[in-house]
Structure formats: structure tokens, C-alpha cells
Amino acid sequence: MAKIDEETLAVASQACVGGPSTALALATSKGWMWLVTPAVLPGVLGYAVGNYVGIAVGHGMRILLGG
């Protein structure tokens, strides 16, 4: 089993569920300043990549459905 401390796991879980803004709020409210950057950067990267993947899937569905 991976050895991940509870703070990192909590912030990562919050970033997956609520995005970078809520993960940032969790990290700062608990005083985990070393987790502020890791809370924000992957979430913003996910937003950036997700937009392009969503556009590609939308175009692919349009082609697949003949629109």
C-alpha cells in the first residue's frame, strides 16, 4: 500500500471533487502551506486539458452521429 500522509490525501481528494479553488481553501484553512501549490497546479492543468479533450470528444460525436 502506498504511504501517503492524510493531509496530502485530503487535499488531493478535494481537488478531484471540488477543483483547485476548494482544494486551495482546504489547504490554507488547515495551515498546510506546503500543499497550496500542489493543490492548485494540477487542478488548473486539468481544466486546461479537459477543455480541449471535451472539444475533441464533441467534434468526434458530431462526426460519429453524422451531424
Side-chain angles (χ1 to χ4, degrees), residues 12-61:
S13 175
Q14 184 61 39
C16 289
V17 173
S21 59
T22 58
L24 176 65
L26 174 67
T28 55
S29 69
K30 294 291 188 175
W32 302 330
M33 295 305 161
W34 67 94
L35 290 175
V36 168
T37 302
V40 174
L41 289 181
V44 172
L45 179 65
Y47 283 166
V49 171
N51 283 329
Y52 292 109
V53 169
I55 291 169
V57 168
H59 283 294
M61 291 301 292

